[in-house]
Amino acid sequence: MVVAAEARGFILGAALAARAGAGFIPARKPGKLPAATDSVQYALEYGVDALEMHSDALAGGTRVLVHDDLLATGGTAGAVCELVERAGAEVVGCAFLIELGFLGGRERLAPRDVRSLVTYEEP
């Protein structure tokens, strides 16, 4: 499965899932999903936010790729990983288009496998 965060993560997350022959699960802002959800709050540079995923979206033992467009501090991706792991699934990797290496998001996601296409090490 591929689990991607709202909203820019959906653009390539769905394409990655289709290309891999895997399912796609959206992690959305509170109140946007139609069925029962699990929720997690996480810190942003400027406050607190939350993401939700359908409670029945993942079964225990499911292998999951977490995807988003940008890895900055790791708050959003960390929240998605927490949702996945709470459901009993396994995060096998985290994939990003862009990584702002100087913000330490990779370290926050450790020991998970983190991949990014472009990394900026300096602001």
Side-chain angles (χ1 to χ4, degrees), residues 3 6 9 13 16 18 22 26 30 36 49 52 65 74 77 98-99 104 106 112 114 119:
V3 178
E6 185 170 333
L16 285 170
D49 209 345
E52 294 181 341
L65 173 69
I98 300 169
E99 177 180 353
R106 179 179 291 267
R112 299 173 189 96
V114 176
T119 302

Side-chain angles (χ1 to χ4, degrees), residues 17-69:
R19 180 73 172 178
F24 176 76
I25 299 170
R28 301 209 61 193
K29 302 290 183 189
K32 293 189 175 186
L33 293 170
T37 61
D38 187 18
S39 180
V40 65
Q41 286 190 336
Y42 61 101
L44 298 168
E45 301 80 50
Y46 49 84
V48 176
D49 209 345
L51 285 173
E52 294 181 341
M53 183 177 73
H54 279 134
S55 301
D56 62 353
L58 290 169
T62 303
R63 296 169 45 87
V64 174
L65 173 69
V66 171
H67 169 72
D68 205 354
D69 65 319

